[in-house]
Amino acid sequence: MTSENTPHHHGNLRPALIQAGIDILETEGTKGLSLRKIATRVGVTHAAPAHHFKGKAALLVAIAAKGFQVFADLMEKNRDAAPKDPQNQLLGLCQGYLQFAAENEALFELIFSTDIKPHANVDEDFRKSANRAFRLLEDTCALFEPSPKHSQGHEIMIWSLVHGYASLRAYNKLISPEDGAAMPFELILPQLTPKK
Amino acid sequence: MTSENTPHHHGNLRPALIQAGIDILETEGTKGLSLRKIATRVGVTHAAPAHHFKGKAALLVAIAAKGFQVFADLMEKNRDAAPKDPQNQLLGLCQGYLQFAAENEALFELIFSTDIKPHANVDEDFRKSANRAFRLLEDTCALFEPSPKHSQGHEIMIWSLVHGYASLRAYNKLISPEDGAAMPFELILPQLTPKK
DNA sequence: TGTACATCAGTGAACGCGCGTTCACTGATGTAC
DNA sequence: TGTACATCAGTGAACGCGCGTTCACTGATGTAC
C-alpha cells in the first residue's frame, strides 16, 4: 500500500512476485517467464526472490496454485449466478471454465502443464487449490445420476468436453469464438438426468 | 543406411534431424529440445542444421509437420481397421487420436502448441499435414447428420471430447487409463444419427 | 521512551552454463568437357 | 575414363545473451530490557 519508496523491505514481496509472474505469463507467454523478469517487474533485484522461494520451480508452483484459486473462483461465481436447476448449474460452471481459459491463456496452460504434477507429493498450497477446483467440478456433476458403466464416467466426459473445447479455442481462433458454453453440450445435456 | 563413416555429407541430414527432434521430445520433453542436442544426437556439429533449416523455429515447424503426419496416419489406420458403420469408424478414428497422444506426449503437445499457428501463413508442409489430419476428423464426422443449430456443431463437440480426454489423461495419470476410446462417448454416440 | 542487538529481506557482483547464430574454412560430391 | 572446377554440406571456433544460483554485504525491522 504505502511502501512505494522504502528501498529494502518490500513488505509483500511473495504475493507480488506471484502476481508479476501471472502478468508476464499473459503478456509474454510461458517462454518469457524467468525469475529475473519477475523480479525486475516487481522492482527488486533478481536475487531477492530466493528469500521467498526455494528456486524457480517453487515459484512456478506458487503461481500455479494462485492460478487454480482464480480458476476455481471463476467457476464458482458463474455457477452460483446460474439458475438452480442442475443443467444450468453445470452450464454456469463450464462458462467459468471457458472464461478462465480464454482470459488467462498461458496461465491455463501452466496449471494444466504436465510437469507440475497434481497428485504427486507437491506443495500443499498447490494441492489444496487444485483440489478445490476439481471438487467444484465433481460436485456439480454429482447433481446428475452417475454413469451405470463407469464410476466417474459422466464426470470425465463432461470434463473432457469442456477442457477440450477450451483448449481448441485457444489453439484455433477460428473455432466459433462466439458460441457460448452451451454449444458443445448440445447433445449431452438432455441425456443427463438430474438426481432425485 | 550405409553412410555411417563418411565424415562429411551425412546424406539424409534433414529428415534425420527431424526424427532426432522427435526422439528427444519423447525422452526429455519440450524443455530439453535444443538445436545443439538435436545435432549432437545425429552425430553432427551444432552448426550443421543451419544448412537445412532457416533457424530453430523452422526446425520446430518441420518437426510439428512430421508429427501431424504420424498423427493422421494413426487415425486413418485405426479408422480403416474398424467396422464400416459410422459409429465404429468414428470410434476407430478417436482410438488413433488417443493412441497418438498417449504414445507421443510431448509431440502431441507441440503440434497443438499455440505458438505454431495452424492457420497463419506458415510453412506449407506444415499446413498440408495439419490439414490432412483435420480433414480426416471432418470427413468422419460427416458420416453423421450435422447439427441443426451450428454449422460444425457436432464436429467441434466430438473433437473437443476426444482432445480433452487425451489431454486430461496425459495430465492426470489417475484418470482411468484402462478405459478405451468409447468411454467418453458413452452418451454421445447413440445421439448421432448416421446419414442416409 | 530509549538503547542494544538479533533477525529479516533486500543489494549487487560474480559464477558457470547452455543456448542460437555467424563465419571462414574444407572435404566430398557431381557436372562439363 | 580422366581431369578441372563449381557447388554443396559439413567443421570448429567464436560471439554475445539471458538464465538460475551463490555469496558476502547491509540497511530496515522488531524485540528485550
Side-chain angles (χ1 to χ4, degrees):
Chain A
M1 306 284 184
T2 66
S3 58
E4 205 49 48
N5 42 14
T6 37
H8 281 76
H9 281 82
H10 176 283
N12 269 324
L13 189 51
R14 204 191 129 96
L17 289 170
I18 292 173
Q19 186 55 51
I22 290 178
D23 294 344
I24 290 175
L25 268 181
E26 294 322 313
T27 52
E28 306 189 36
T30 319
K31 299 290 167 70
L33 193 65
S34 74
L35 259 182
R36 291 172 104 106
K37 275 192 199 156
I38 292 173
T40 300
R41 171 174 261 260
V42 172
V44 118
T45 312
H46 63 263
H51 290 277
H52 297 272
F53 299 97
K54 221 195 64 169
K56 190 196 181 184
L59 176 48
L60 285 187
V61 168
I63 290 173
K66 174 68 174 173
F68 263 116
Q69 274 177 37
V70 177
F71 182 42
D73 287 347
L74 212 47
M75 285 196 287
E76 194 172 40
K77 186 182 130 202
N78 276 267
R79 186 200 60 182
D80 290 352
K84 290 296 174 271
D85 61 293
Q87 278 95 345
N88 276 307
Q89 289 280 291
L90 179 59
L91 281 183
L93 186 92
C94 290
Q95 188 64 57
Y97 202 112
L98 294 173
Q99 188 184 336
F100 178 80
E103 290 176 358
N104 310 273
E105 224 169 85
L107 185 55
F108 179 70
E109 198 178 300
L110 176 69
I111 71 176
F112 281 108
S113 101
T114 41
D115 37 57
I116 300 181
K117 311 275 179 184
H119 38 77
N121 55 346
V122 134
D123 181 77
E124 186 169 357
D125 264 14
F126 174 77
R127 269 204 348 270
K128 264 163 58 173
S129 42
N131 284 339
R132 180 178 153 234
F134 299 151
R135 210 173 319 112
L136 273 171
L137 193 71
E138 215 176 293
D139 290 349
T140 309
C141 288
L143 299 174
F144 301 92
E145 291 292 343
S147 162
K149 292 197 204 157
H150 306 90
S151 63
Q152 37 169 212
H154 292 174
E155 185 194 333
I156 295 300
M157 180 191 67
I158 289 163
W159 194 6
S160 296
L161 195 47
V162 66
H163 190 82
Y165 189 56
S167 303
L168 290 175
R169 280 224 285 197
Y171 174 62
N172 181 353
K173 313 283 191 203
L174 292 186
I175 291 184
S176 51
E178 75 285 352
D179 281 313
M183 192 276 273
F185 287 101
E186 192 178 310
L187 282 189
I188 286 173
L189 218 49
Q191 305 308 315
L192 295 172
T193 64
K195 270 183 184 165
K196 211 158 59 98
Chain B
M1 306 281 188
T2 66
S3 59
E4 203 49 50
N5 40 14
T6 35
H8 282 75
H9 281 81
H10 176 283
N12 268 323
L13 188 52
R14 204 190 129 95
L17 288 169
I18 293 173
Q19 185 56 51
I22 291 177
D23 294 345
I24 289 174
L25 269 182
E26 293 322 312
T27 52
E28 306 188 36
T30 318
K31 299 292 168 69
L33 193 65
S34 73
L35 259 183
R36 292 172 102 104
K37 273 192 199 157
I38 291 174
T40 300
R41 170 174 262 259
V42 173
V44 118
T45 312
H46 63 264
H51 289 278
H52 298 271
F53 299 97
K54 220 194 66 167
K56 191 197 180 184
L59 176 49
L60 285 187
V61 168
I63 290 172
K66 173 69 173 172
F68 262 116
Q69 275 178 35
V70 177
F71 182 42
D73 287 346
L74 212 48
M75 284 196 287
E76 194 172 41
K77 186 182 130 201
N78 275 265
R79 186 199 61 181
D80 290 350
K84 291 296 175 269
D85 60 292
Q87 278 94 346
N88 277 307
Q89 291 277 293
L90 179 59
L91 281 182
L93 186 92
C94 290
Q95 187 63 58
Y97 202 112
L98 294 173
Q99 187 184 336
F100 178 81
E103 290 176 357
N104 311 274
E105 223 169 87
L107 185 55
F108 179 71
E109 198 178 303
L110 176 69
I111 70 176
F112 281 108
S113 103
T114 40
D115 37 58
I116 300 184
K117 311 277 180 185
H119 39 76
N121 54 347
V122 134
D123 181 77
E124 186 170 356
D125 264 14
F126 175 77
R127 270 206 345 271
K128 264 160 62 171
S129 43
N131 284 339
R132 180 178 154 235
F134 299 151
R135 208 171 322 111
L136 273 171
L137 194 72
E138 216 176 290
D139 291 348
T140 309
C141 287
L143 300 174
F144 300 92
E145 291 291 344
S147 162
K149 290 197 205 155
H150 306 88
S151 64
Q152 38 170 211
H154 291 174
E155 185 193 335
I156 295 301
M157 179 192 69
I158 289 165
W159 193 7
S160 295
L161 194 46
V162 66
H163 189 84
Y165 189 55
S167 303
L168 290 174
R169 281 224 286 198
Y171 174 62
N172 181 353
K173 314 285 192 198
L174 292 186
I175 290 183
S176 51
E178 73 285 351
D179 282 314
M183 193 275 274
F185 286 100
E186 193 176 309
L187 281 188
I188 286 172
L189 218 47
Q191 306 307 315
L192 296 173
T193 64
K195 270 183 184 162
K196 217 164 48 105

